[in-house]
Amino acid sequence: MNFFLDAIAWIFDPANWVPGSQSPLPIGDRLVEHLLYSGVSLAIAILIALPLGFYIGHTGRGRQFVIGFTGAMRALPTLGLLFFLTMVLRSGLSTTPAVLVGSVIAFVLLAIPSLLAGAYAGLESVGRESIDAARSIGMTEMQILRKVEIPLGLPVIIGGIRSATLQVIATVTIASYVGLGGLGRIISSGIGLNDYTVILGGALLVAVLALSVDGVFALLQRLTRTRGQTPRPLRSVQRHRSDAAPAPILDERTPA
């Protein structure tokens, strides 16, 4: 317990937050770096994954590709990929840009599977009755996507963003091993100095940051849930799009 209390005392020590403190301090600078790396990586991943996920969820095309792709991407070792990209990029860039670009690419690849799965699953969670009703009143496919599928599937879509965000925030910690900043620098510095108070302090900062962001996304999911709309269970990634009678497992929907 004393060890835990020492780590908390280290975090709240004003001296560790003073600008210009010796590396890996101040904590505030490392926190800003951590958020910056995470935010840039997530923004790029969202721009890539969400449009593709919406296309797949709306049209039903490429579903098997997504299943295989997301499974394969989740199996990639991020630390190994980070070192590989850094070494490859150093052949054409100086050290700092190579490390930064390689790290961002690795974190983008980490975030894409959850974002992609959340985007198409969110659209697939929308009841078929709502989509058919929108078509029957003359909405175009783009209008159905923007005004029906995305709003009704938004809690699931945000859930995918939430999952990707937590993964990236936790994994950005390893950026310190290739020379970047972030809260991981505090942990690696503590390891180098054999200072367990600093190690635990850095780990607690990462955990608190992740839990705080998770709480924000949990609140967003709750606020965006449409009253009276219960997404149908996603027991299968298959989406029935013909007029024929579907198999029971593929057609479990909550009536509107």
Side-chain angles (χ1 to χ4, degrees):
M1 180 59 73
N2 289 336
F3 181 48
F4 187 77
L5 293 175
D6 288 344
I8 294 177
W10 179 86
I11 293 173
F12 287 99
D13 185 351
N16 295 331
W17 294 80
V18 175
S21 301
Q22 186 176 357
S23 181
L25 303 173
I27 295 174
D29 287 358
R30 303 292 82 79
L31 180 60
V32 170
E33 289 171 351
H34 203 99
L35 289 171
L36 180 62
Y37 301 150
S38 301
V40 170
S41 302
L42 284 165
I44 295 172
I46 285 172
L47 290 175
I48 296 171
L50 289 193
L52 180 58
F54 291 156
Y55 172 79
I56 293 168
H58 180 73
T59 64
R61 299 172 184 170
R63 189 181 295 106
Q64 295 303 319
F65 164 76
V66 170
I67 296 170
F69 174 78
T70 54
M73 291 296 289
R74 285 187 173 120
L76 283 176
T78 306
L79 182 59
L81 180 63
L82 178 61
F83 278 111
F84 171 76
L85 290 171
T86 300
M87 289 188 293
V88 169
L89 291 171
R90 275 180 178 172
S91 62
L93 298 172
S94 58
T95 300
T96 301
V99 168
L100 183 59
V101 173
S103 299
V104 169
I105 292 174
F107 301 142
V108 167
L109 293 177
L110 174 69
I112 283 177
S114 295
L115 292 168
L116 189 58
Y120 86 82
L123 266 59
E124 292 203 352
S125 71
V126 178
R128 185 69 191 183
E129 300 85 358
S130 301
I131 299 172
D132 290 341
R135 253 190 211 107
S136 68
I137 64 173
M139 280 190 176
T140 64
E141 295 301 310
M142 185 58 68
Q143 287 175 326
I144 292 172
L145 176 64
R146 291 189 296 105
K147 298 182 178 181
V148 179
E149 290 180 312
I150 292 178
L152 293 180
L154 197 55
V156 180
I157 296 169
I158 292 176
I161 299 174
R162 176 183 178 183
S163 176
T165 302
L166 293 180
Q167 288 178 323
V168 171
I169 287 176
T171 310
V172 164
T173 307
I174 67 175
S176 63
Y177 287 100
V178 291
L180 289 183
L183 295 175
R185 179 177 289 183
I186 295 175
I187 298 174
S188 60
S189 176
I191 294 173
L193 297 172
N194 205 27
D195 190 333
Y196 295 103
T197 299
V198 174
I199 295 171
L200 181 57
L204 287 174
L205 287 168
V206 175
V208 169
L209 176 61
L211 290 174
S212 300
V213 173
D214 183 60
V216 172
F217 277 106
L219 179 61
L220 285 175
Q221 281 186 281
R222 187 177 185 86
L223 293 175
T224 55
R225 187 174 295 116
T226 304
R227 183 175 298 179
Q229 172 73 16
T230 304
R232 63 187 176 90
L234 292 176
R235 292 190 182 180
S236 169
V237 294
Q238 298 289 332
R239 186 178 189 175
H240 184 76
R241 288 187 168 268
S242 70
D243 294 328
I249 193 172
L250 302 179
D251 196 44
E252 288 189 23
R253 305 181 180 91
T254 302

